[in-house]
């Protein structure tokens, strides 16, 4: 079957007014790419039923010439400016009904607040409605039900909530299997590797261009730039060919290559029953936040210290006044002393310290904005320190620093296994 | 003259593949809103000349029924996949020419690298080309020249580089005066207020519906839901009417209303020379991260403690074993004791503690997932504690908890000023 012409539509006046950035469309395009499909167009529209209807009518018209898959987010909420259901009913001429399971879920939420079914406003109840004869996408995170509405030959309009956490859960758990059923794909295999502190263009020139002829025939490749690392994605029907690419990549970049460090660190610390503690200066808590993003992190994350001021570095982590005045807060000596201080207070197996200049102020000629020292005390008692000059603005430098700290932990954990 | 139908188009396969987030469109929509215009549609397209041309042809067709203003970014660079100029020439049937000033600029760049005019590749030189008879938007940051191409009655296609710094400078300095000349504007005023821990639908019913007749004529309103709060936005030509709405809102919701708490807390702590320290359990560093997002936060943020485990609550913050075993880690007593412990160790003016159950595991009948206690020790020595049951998944609960902690701090700072 022909691959569908895929359009992603985001609705919401906050988006077209520039008050809110649409991150849903980009996230979905990425997921679809990993499933082996490319998106032809993003559209964002204000909460205006005429504009939305006219766009959907154009897409319906288009289904006469090719299979169309339209993924729309937003407009399923409980307020007046939520028009998705109404618009889809106009488009299809169908009626809607309330999904029993969603109605029960909603009633329970009300009951837990000491209210009852009759207290539920009609606009709130509307969130449980879907058009007749459509595929229901139930919502495990929030209330609004999603659905897949046929709009032509092999053509579907998927409506999902605009709240990212609800949409993502619905997309992954409910929509993905549905799409695989609706549009059978060739048997694509995918490999993903991360490379640290290297630019996309350099990677493209030094690896992709260099190996284009001998390795890349029949292989689709993509790169996603992140803070501190790039994700290199390869897709093909030929899994052996992908193995060869990954081997070549590992050969060329042995020191900066990794798998997903977040999940590796999480699983490895749990399975080896290792503990970790942190001491953060310029990242202000971001590393701790990342280490506790996943449920179950309490089995390894003991805690940490936010030593933003020099006084706190001294009083909480015992960094000596001499070190701070002689070498400065952003130095190998301070990072190392912080790591030792974390260990003294927590006895964690791994102790990570971060100290740096996130900017925009505070940079000097010898220590420009972006300078970061990371210390890592490992179970053998030794402390490694690493220094970086990260690019980007304040947010970028902080993201870079905490991601790179996790990469250093990843490398150390990998080393243990050899 | 009628306001134009405004469409913003972003071109770039990296956008529709989800590898890169289009922030240009949102930025431009914001600028246009402040100029008094609303955007009707965002479109993002891959670097595919047929898809781009077909979209522009549709817009040209639309100019027969109304004035259209299309703002397009991207595709003006020097690589093979930059198709904007070629596509516009196809659309208009025009030829292009090289803008003298841009050519000189480019030559100077080459000369500064020890090269000369004849070294410039044709694709690089193409960046200095624009269609005949268009308005030139010169580029003060990079090389590629932008332009305004007439596409119908009172209708224009604006092409600008996709590099944000180049586009923004060009938009502000060159395009804005041009647009003001081409289209008359509405004189819109805007007010924004935040309401905490209230649903969009309840706000709509209790405030918007109730006051629709007496307050809301000629006022546009919108709501954006966030973690812990909703942003209520009002727009009108009549600033007095907006004042009345905001007064009414303050009267109806005195305890849960705020301005932007992030910037208020930041400015207030700096101007009053107050300090703050935190102790975080379930948020794992997220509150510290938020408190250090803005440059200059080192003047008030001393540091903090990530006391994820009970042992750390005892050893770092001196929470007694009795409190933890009698009341549990998620309790008023623990939150309060943590706040006192933070003060003991840091002597900060404000000490905030957070302890809760972020889930998905760990909930009980009496303390379900989402239960969070927040403690706040204020400069007068007293400790307030507040408990919540936040909705959402792990990420949502953690965001809710740290945002709400900032709201409590906001309220306490406001109180001082009365």
């Amino acid at each position: 079957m022909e691959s569908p012409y895929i359009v992603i539509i985001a609705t919401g006046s906050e988006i077209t007014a520039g008050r809110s950035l649409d991150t849903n469309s980009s996230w979905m395009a990425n997921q679809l790419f990993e499933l082996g499909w490319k998106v032809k167009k993003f559209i964002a529209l204000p909460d205006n039923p005429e504009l939305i209807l006219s766009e959907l009518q154009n897409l319906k018209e288009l289904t006469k010439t090719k299979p169309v898959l339209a993924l729309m987010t937003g407009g399923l909420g409980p307020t007046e400016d939520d028009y998705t259901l109404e618009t889809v009913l106009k488009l299809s001429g169908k009626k809607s009904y309330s999904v029993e399971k969603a109605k029960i879920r909603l009633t329970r939420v009300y009951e837990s607040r000491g209210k009852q079914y009759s207290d539920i406003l009609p606009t709130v109840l509307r969130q449980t409605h879907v058009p007749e004869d459509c595929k229901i996408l139930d919502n495990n995170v929030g209330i609004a039900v999603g659905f897949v509405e046929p709009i032509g030959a092999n053509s579907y309009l998927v409506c999902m909530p605009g709240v990212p956490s609800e949409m993502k859960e619905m997309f992954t758990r409910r929509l993905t299997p549905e799409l695989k059923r609706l549009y059978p794909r060739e048997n694509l295999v995918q490999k993903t590797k991360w490379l640290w502190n290297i630019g996309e263009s350099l990677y493209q020139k030094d690896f992709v261009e260099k190996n284009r002829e001998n390795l890349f025939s029949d292989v689709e490749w993509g790169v996603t730039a992140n803070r501190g690392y790039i994700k290199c994605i390869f897709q093909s029907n030929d899994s052996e060919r992908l193995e060869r690419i990954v081997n070549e990549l590992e050969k060329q970049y042995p020191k900066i290559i990794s798998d997903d460090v977040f999940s590796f660190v999480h699983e490895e610390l749990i399975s080896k029953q290792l503990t970790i503690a942190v001491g953060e200066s310029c990242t202000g808590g971001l590393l701790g936040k990342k280490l506790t993003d996943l449920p179950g992190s309490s089995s390894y994350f003991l805690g940490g210290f936010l030593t933003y001021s020099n006084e706190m570095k001294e009083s909480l982590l015992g960094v000596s006044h001499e070190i701070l005045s002689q070498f400065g807060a952003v130095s190998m000596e301070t990072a190392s002393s912080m790591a030792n201080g974390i260990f003294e207070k927590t006895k964690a197996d791994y102790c990570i310290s971060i100290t740096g200049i996130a900017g925009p102020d505070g940079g000097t000629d010898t220590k420009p904005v972006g300078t970061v020292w990371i210390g890592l005390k490992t179970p053998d008692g030794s402390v490694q320190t690493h220094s970086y000059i990260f690019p980007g603005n304040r947010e970028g430098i902080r993201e870079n620093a905490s991601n790179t700290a996790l990469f250093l932990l990843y490398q150390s954990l990998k080393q243990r296994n050899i």
Side-chain angles (χ1 to χ4, degrees), chain A:
Chain A
M1 196 201 298
E2 200 183 336
S3 278
Y5 177 93
I6 303 181
V7 180
I8 296 180
I9 306 170
T11 65
S13 298
E14 71 283 5
I15 296 170
T16 54
R19 288 200 300 272
S20 171
L21 206 57
D22 163 37
T23 55
N24 284 340
S25 302
S26 190
W27 186 87
M28 285 193 281
N30 228 315
Q31 299 296 112
L32 291 165
F33 177 82
E34 294 194 3
L35 291 167
W37 291 307
K38 282 186 193 154
V39 176
K40 291 292 192 306
K41 189 174 177 175
F42 286 2
I43 298 171
L45 298 170
D47 296 308
N48 175 322
E50 288 84 36
L51 290 177
I52 298 171
L53 182 59
S54 134
E55 203 65 51
L56 295 182
Q57 279 163 339
N58 289 344
L59 287 173
K60 200 171 177 175
E61 197 58 34
L62 198 62
T63 67
K64 293 176 184 163
T65 62
K66 54 186 141 196
V68 172
L69 171 63
L71 302 165
M72 185 154 94
T73 57
L76 292 177
T79 59
E80 227 180 45
D81 57 357
D82 286 307
Y83 294 106
T84 296
L85 180 69
E86 172 189 327
T87 310
V88 174
L89 296 178
K90 248 184 213 155
L91 181 79
S92 63
K94 286 186 187 177
K95 291 200 168 123
S96 74
Y97 70 100
S98 175
V99 177
E100 200 54 33
K101 205 174 139 189
K103 211 158 63 180
I104 293 170
R105 216 176 120 83
L106 179 61
T107 310
R108 288 215 183 109
V109 170
Y110 268 62
E111 283 169 357
S112 76
R113 297 180 191 160
K115 296 182 173 178
Q116 48 190 332
Y117 181 74
S118 58
D119 293 326
I120 303 177
L121 295 168
T123 53
V124 174
L125 193 61
R126 189 185 59 198
Q127 296 178 92
T128 66
H129 276 248
V130 299
E132 298 162 332
D133 304 320
C134 71
K135 182 85 198 174
I136 296 166
L137 304 174
D138 56 311
N139 187 337
N140 267 4
V141 178
I143 294 301
V145 184
F147 53 87
V148 181
E149 167 76 15
I151 54 167
N154 288 319
S155 296
Y156 302 90
L157 167 64
V158 180
C159 295
M160 291 184 288
V163 181
S165 58
E166 298 182 21
M167 181 282 289
K168 287 178 185 177
E169 204 272 343
M170 192 179 282
F171 189 103
T172 310
R173 187 183 47 86
R174 293 288 286 119
L175 183 62
T176 301
E178 196 62 26
L179 291 181
K180 285 183 180 167
R181 202 179 59 77
L182 294 173
Y183 301 104
R185 298 157 311 133
E186 294 167 53
N187 236 339
L188 275 180
V189 193
Q190 174 163 319
K191 291 269 176 191
T192 304
K193 285 282 170 180
W194 299 15
L195 293 182
W196 288 79
N197 294 309
I198 181 174
E200 295 178 71
S201 52
L202 197 65
Y203 158 73
Q204 186 178 330
K205 181 170 153 270
D206 286 355
F207 187 76
V208 181
E209 294 307 329
K210 207 182 102 188
N211 295 298
R212 188 179 284 286
E213 284 182 22
N214 61 328
L215 283 179
F216 276 91
S217 50
D218 295 326
V219 174
E220 289 248 16
W221 65 277
V223 195
T224 320
N226 294 278
R227 295 289 167 68
Y229 60 96
I230 59 174
K231 257 191 215 177
C232 309
I233 303 152
F234 312 98
Q235 287 179 344
S236 173
N237 299 314
D238 181 348
S239 63
E240 206 179 298
R241 199 181 291 268
L242 289 185
E243 283 300 332
R244 271 165 47 211
I245 290 187
V246 168
N247 286 343
E248 190 58 36
L249 196 70
E250 281 170 344
K251 223 171 81 190
Q252 188 161 342
Y253 300 106
K255 293 195 173 154
I256 59 168
I257 198 167
S258 79
D259 297 306
D260 180 335
V261 303
F262 305 118
S263 64
F264 179 86
V265 161
H266 179 73
E267 283 155 25
E268 191 74 3
L269 291 174
I270 288 177
S271 74
K272 299 284 162 61
Q273 297 186 291
L274 293 163
T275 58
I276 184 164
V278 300
E280 307 185 47
S281 183
C282 63
T283 46
L286 184 56
L287 177 60
K289 187 256 169 198
K290 281 177 191 274
L291 277 166
T292 53
D293 272 343
L294 297 176
S297 47
S298 57
S299 80
Y300 52 84
F301 186 71
L302 300 182
F305 304 83
L306 309 181
T307 54
Y308 211 59
S309 67
N310 278 0
E311 290 69 33
M312 291 293 130
K313 290 182 186 74
E314 291 184 39
S315 67
L316 303 186
L317 293 177
V319 179
S320 73
H321 196 72
E322 289 66 46
I323 283 181
L324 288 168
S325 58
Q326 189 177 345
F327 303 104
V330 180
S331 63
M332 186 180 77
E333 290 75 9
T334 299
S336 173
S337 178
M338 283 172 71
N340 281 317
I342 301 162
F343 178 75
E344 286 310 314
K345 294 288 178 72
T346 66
K347 306 294 177 199
D349 296 312
Y350 286 90
C351 299
I352 306 183
S353 63
I354 300 182
T355 179
I357 303 158
D361 304 316
T364 64
D365 280 354
T366 49
K367 292 178 186 173
V369 166
T371 303
V372 175
W373 278 92
I374 302 177
L376 172 64
K377 189 173 173 99
T378 50
D380 63 7
S382 69
V383 178
Q384 329 164 358
T385 51
H386 303 260
S387 75
Y388 302 87
I389 300 179
F390 292 120
N393 59 5
R394 183 175 176 84
E395 188 205 338
I397 290 163
R398 281 152 49 101
E399 283 282 339
N400 256 299
S402 42
N403 288 342
T404 301
L406 289 170
F407 175 57
L408 294 174
L409 177 60
Y410 167 95
Q411 284 189 313
S412 181
L413 288 167
K414 274 272 177 186
Q415 207 68 38
R416 274 174 71 93
N417 294 342
I418 294 171

